[in-house]
Amino acid sequence: MAKRTFSTLETFLIFLLVMMTAVTVALLSLLFVTSGTIENHKDSGFPATQGPLATQISSANQGSTAFQGSTLTQEPTTIQMSPMMTTPEPPLFQNFTGYHIGVGRADCTGQVGDINLMGYGKSGQNAQGLLTRLYSRAFIMAEPDGSNRMVFVSIDIGMVSQRLRLEVLNRLHNKYGSLYRRDNVILSGTHTHSAPAGYFQYTVFVIASEGFSNRTFEYMVTGIMKSIEMAHTNMKPGKIFFNKGNVDGAHINRSPYSYLQNPQSERARYSSNTDKEMAVLKMEDLNGDDLGVISWFAIHPVSMNNSNHLVNSDNMGYASYLFEKEKNKGYLPGQGPFVAAFASSNLGDVSPNILGPRCINTGESCDNANSTCPIGGSTMCMAMGPGQDMLESTQIIGRILYQEAKELYASASQEVTGPLTSAHQWVNMTDVTVLLNSTHTAKTCKPALGYSFAAGTIDGAGSLNFTQGMTVSDPFWDTLRDQLLGKPSEEIKECHKPKPVLIHTGELSNPHPWHPDIVDVQIITLGSLAIVAMPGELTTMSGRRLREAVKAEFATYGMKNMTVVISGLCNVYTHYITTYEEYQVQRYEAASTIYGPHTLSAYIQLFRVLAKAIATDTVANLSTGPEPPFFKQLIIPIIPNIADRAPIGKTFGDVLQPANPTYRVGEVAEVIFVGANPKNSAENRTHQTFLTVEKYEATSATWQIIHNDASWETRFYWHKGLLGLSNATIQWHIPDTAQPGIYRIRYFGHSRKQDFLKPAVILSFESTSSVFEVVTT
């Protein structure tokens, strides 16, 4: 190979990256908390989180193991549990056919300012306000005698982190004893890319989050717990029905070139390169009254692109919003008894941006093997949604999902009956021996990310000169990596071939491991329905192979005609899982398959073990597996807490720009207030919303709240200034359905007060706009 010379641009990039790395290393050193505390333990108003269980109590049919608690250490914790305060189980009515069913929904939004959004990995895409609240939606189902039960929780976040799950399991144990455990609780993220980051413990994700935010972590854990507690309290006898149907016009395959690498004979069995089937569970009480719905469908919630700065739940969240609005008439968004979850599935290579990829600078198609444009390369190639902007695209796709789910819900007649069983193991995914056939084996690898990981996707391209489909390394980036992180071993490079290793995360451990080794595999069966909890993002064909293998394993051991549903982004995040054939061409999804080319085969093998154990009633014989670590000393956020200040002569909440006297439907009412950092409201929750839109009712001489900040008709923008100054802009996009009358907008916030040598204090405030009239013409 000829000697490589660097251009002026590349030399500048080297200098820039070295400087950035030096700053990052310095920050890591400075921010690593050697005292064992985590951000905001002293000033957040929240207690320090307790260490989670190291070994979770198993179900009656899985045996029982001891709980332990945590000491402050950089190593995986040893457990010393706090005294358990269990909640007595209420007596359950048993003389009926069906299941006990409980549903619950709770806010888990976290902070909406001074934190990165999780998903695109784009530097500078930090939260600057709120479009919609994020919710945890919990569903509990139990057999009539209450002996066997399950919890399924769908959460409006990017993905479930291992730390989040371990902490939730710990708190469930403290409250309910052995009722809710690692084997019968599934936590699933919807995968919105517009939710806060900061709730991870592995270094890759901590860096992407720009630190660990205990403020947001605690908010999420509390919301998940509250939703489960509500579901537990609300349990009543009922029936469950299953239905499925196809959804058209909602998604495309964003890596069709990878999909085409799968055998033609296999592809010929399917009519599309995406899974169009939606699965729906309908829940009602014995009187036929609606309780809730879970829908599983394979689609990326990336209708809101990487230019967005408002926290929101994207297309899946909008579908939930519409369904709950329909069933909870008379309630504000986020309120009411009916709970509708739109959960993720095998969405790895599936995009909602159905107009496909085009070069944003020329308009020509860039639907090619490398997703590149003639001018500007991969950074110019972006897929577009069906709307005029990303918000309209979100609502169009969300409405399609809602309408199909609504129809399937209404026509669901196949009742789910039969026993409820759960199986779970922790597995070291870096050391799984895979049986390829009767004579050959292979092994999984220590985690590593490939070159094309840095290229991003057509839903959000990377910012450097990487492209999808890179199967050869580049001396420029290899040299830079070797200088900064050290050289990857020959073992890890050989194991991951043909992936060229960009970051050998499985060999990096400072300040903590960069990727998880120990992951969860879990199946819960409800009669003839099997829910496979997948700790990552399966591509379309990967999901098909997994479903088929699990169904066949059940059938082999006597459980015929099982319906297998894949629930994605569950329990711990491990990036993507492609097929072996897709892995060979190394587009983004393959470069992000961190355990190597045989990752899918390993998962299929592991889930078949669980399926066999359930079918043969030998779950109790399953080993628990190596327990995952729980790290307590984490990097605090780069953005510091500072005191809020109002301009001279002003106070928090003062109106800077009043509303107009009159608006027509279809216009936008806007008011600007003297603001304070909204992350304070994730600490002091005196107010449950940043805003309300209220209508004056003359007959009762009262103000009626018609919208809160969970409404898709409102916007809350936070404009950060210098030295603690900020403004808050509240918008109401007045819908055509708005009634004529007199209205006002209210703002609710919290300011941080920091006196010299005194602890910070979070103070609540509220403000009201001038009144304005809405007219129809």
Side-chain angles (χ1 to χ4, degrees), residues 47-58:
T49 55
Q50 299 172 5
L53 60 158
T55 304
Q56 180 71 16
I57 287 183
S58 325

Side-chain angles (χ1 to χ4, degrees), residues 655-659 663 669-673 728-731 745 769 772:
V655 175
L656 298 175
Q657 176 186 301
Y663 294 97
E670 180 178 284
V671 185
I672 301 177
F673 299 88
T729 299
I730 295 176
Q731 292 181 348
I745 290 173
S769 74
F772 55 90

Side-chain angles (χ1 to χ4, degrees), residues 278-488:
M278 174 183 283
V280 165
L281 273 189
K282 173 182 180 179
M283 302 166 209
E284 61 180 33
D285 66 19
L286 295 182
N287 296 320
D289 294 329
D290 297 322
L291 295 177
V293 61
I294 306 174
S295 162
W296 286 276
F297 185 66
I299 190 169
H300 251 86
V302 290
S303 293
M304 300 294 291
N305 63 42
N306 62 11
S307 68
N308 169 60
H309 289 275
L310 295 182
V311 169
N312 70 86
S313 51
D314 212 282
N315 48 45
M316 300 283 265
Y318 188 65
S320 290
Y321 168 81
L322 292 175
F323 212 138
E324 291 176 349
K325 182 179 178 181
E326 168 69 22
K327 294 293 185 179
N328 294 323
K329 294 186 185 299
Y331 287 90
L332 290 170
Q335 301 176 14
F338 185 86
V339 179
F342 283 72
S344 58
S345 191
N346 55 317
L347 49 67
D349 54 356
V350 184
S351 170
N353 295 311
I354 57 177
L355 298 187
R358 295 200 166 270
C359 301
I360 57 177
N361 51 354
T362 66
E364 62 185 297
S365 173
C366 51
D367 190 8
N368 53 58
N370 304 109
S371 297
T372 58
C373 296
I375 302 172
S378 61
T379 59
M380 291 291 109
C381 183
M382 190 163 182
M384 300 296 178
Q388 296 298 310
D389 55 35
M390 59 182 170
L391 180 60
E392 186 180 10
S393 293
T394 300
Q395 295 177 324
I396 290 172
I397 299 299
R399 186 171 292 278
I400 291 172
L401 302 180
Y402 154 68
Q403 288 174 338
E404 180 62 28
K406 180 182 177 182
E407 292 173 9
L408 292 173
Y409 183 91
S411 60
S413 59
Q414 178 186 337
E415 185 173 359
V416 178
T417 60
L420 194 160
T421 310
S422 56
H424 172 279
Q425 285 184 308
W426 283 311
V427 178
N428 183 350
M429 275 300 293
T430 71
D431 189 28
V432 178
T433 300
V434 181
L435 302 176
L436 299 178
N437 52 45
S438 59
T439 59
H440 290 79
T441 63
K443 293 200 71 173
T444 53
C445 311
K446 292 180 180 179
L449 293 165
Y451 267 69
S452 296
F453 163 78
T457 73
I458 60 173
D459 294 321
S463 56
L464 296 173
N465 62 331
F466 292 90
T467 60
Q468 296 199 63
M470 295 179 71
T471 56
V472 178
S473 61
D474 185 304
F476 170 74
W477 296 109
D478 280 357
T479 301
L480 190 60
R481 176 205 58 215
D482 295 349
Q483 293 299 315
L484 299 177
L485 301 174
K487 292 183 178 182

Side-chain angles (χ1 to χ4, degrees), residues 561-581:
N561 302 316
M562 291 291 289
T563 298
V564 180
V565 169
I566 292 173
S567 189
L569 290 305
C570 292
N571 300 334
V572 55
Y573 185 58
T574 62
H575 294 266
Y576 285 75
I577 304 96
T578 65
T579 67
Y580 178 84
E581 295 83 356

